[in-house]
Amino acid sequence: MPHPAPPLPGTATVRARVRIPLTFPDGYRAEAEVFTFHGLADGAEHLALTLGTVPDGGTPLVRLHSECLTGDVFGSDRCDCGPQLRESVERITEAGGYLLYLRQEGRGIGLYNKLDAYALQDSGLDTYDANTALGLPEDGRDYTAAAQMLGALGAGTVDLLSNNPDKAAQLAALGIAVERRVPTGVHLSASNVRYLRAKVERTGHSIELSRLVG
């Protein structure tokens, strides 16, 4: 199928769309319509998955999910990314909205650097200090492309499924109105307690500290 021509700089348009059935390891199934785009600011191959049906006049539930190979694919317990992805697909399917799968491995530092940061965390640094010890930003993510994707999909106002206040702040600054921020669950394991605690204490994530025992 031919793809539409790229848009003018600064805007994004839908390049193609295709239906993909999703099945998770626990047996949960969902139908997604996956969108690709022309004109994204960072040139990366981000995806938007449409899940469920947004009621007429309703506000879509949106998750900005940063790619995490170790958590999303291999099921690593060092983070909560895989369980958050699974939870988000179900909740967005029920409410109607979009999951934006953003190619921002390791909060934007890349896979190899993320694994190097893991080695530093094993020596005692938290997830943010490990990044800076490598000469990298604590969080290098920019959500300009995400805002462009939502604009191309006609989603100028969203409910944001996230514990991270920076995502809401960046979207608002980029012209996407965040009607409300909806927290995800607390996906706790013996291996990610320090990681989740650092998110709360360092960047104000809305996770109940009382749940982070150990």
Side-chain angles (χ1 to χ4, degrees):
M1 182 179 77
H3 298 136
L8 296 173
T11 63
T13 59
V14 172
R15 171 183 174 275
R17 55 202 290 179
V18 63
R19 290 199 168 272
I20 297 179
L22 308 178
T23 302
F24 287 83
D26 63 358
Y28 177 76
R29 299 176 62 87
E31 290 288 329
E33 187 171 29
V34 180
F35 288 78
T36 60
F37 298 88
H38 280 307
L40 296 179
D42 58 8
E45 293 185 331
H46 306 301
L47 301 176
L49 282 66
T50 302
L51 298 160
T53 303
V54 181
D56 289 341
T59 301
L61 183 61
V62 170
R63 167 79 181 163
L64 309 186
H65 187 89
S66 296
E67 178 181 54
C68 176
L69 179 72
T70 50
D72 297 342
V73 177
F74 298 131
S76 167
D77 282 341
R78 292 191 68 135
C79 63
D80 57 347
C81 301
Q84 279 190 326
L85 179 63
R86 163 64 179 84
E87 174 194 1
S88 297
V89 168
E90 182 169 3
R91 292 180 67 177
I92 296 171
T93 297
E94 292 172 353
Y98 306 103
L99 187 145
L100 273 55
Y101 197 81
L102 305 172
R103 313 302 296 275
Q104 300 173 328
E105 185 78 47
R107 297 197 303 273
I109 67 173
L111 180 60
Y112 279 16
N113 284 328
K114 182 178 81 171
L115 295 175
D116 290 342
Y118 278 178
L120 292 174
Q121 290 168 41
D122 289 343
S123 70
L125 297 183
D126 73 21
T127 180
Y128 298 102
D129 288 338
N131 281 19
T132 58
L134 292 170
L136 300 167
E138 290 185 355
D139 190 335
R141 291 174 294 183
D142 179 290
Y143 298 108
T144 301
Q148 290 180 297
M149 294 160 75
L150 292 171
L153 295 169
T157 300
V158 303
D159 290 333
L160 186 64
L161 182 61
S162 178
N163 300 324
N164 185 351
D166 183 55
K167 291 181 179 180
Q170 284 203 42
L171 284 184
L174 291 161
I176 302 296
V178 178
E179 196 162 277
R180 63 191 181 109
R181 185 158 60 90
V182 182
T184 70
V186 179
H187 300 288
L188 185 65
S189 76
S191 300
N192 71 15
V193 173
R194 290 180 62 242
Y195 167 81
L196 295 179
R197 187 179 296 277
K199 281 187 169 186
V200 175
E201 295 176 346
R202 298 290 297 271
T203 52
H205 280 58
S206 51
I207 303 171
E208 293 181 33
L209 276 173
S210 62
R211 299 282 302 276
L212 306 181
V213 296

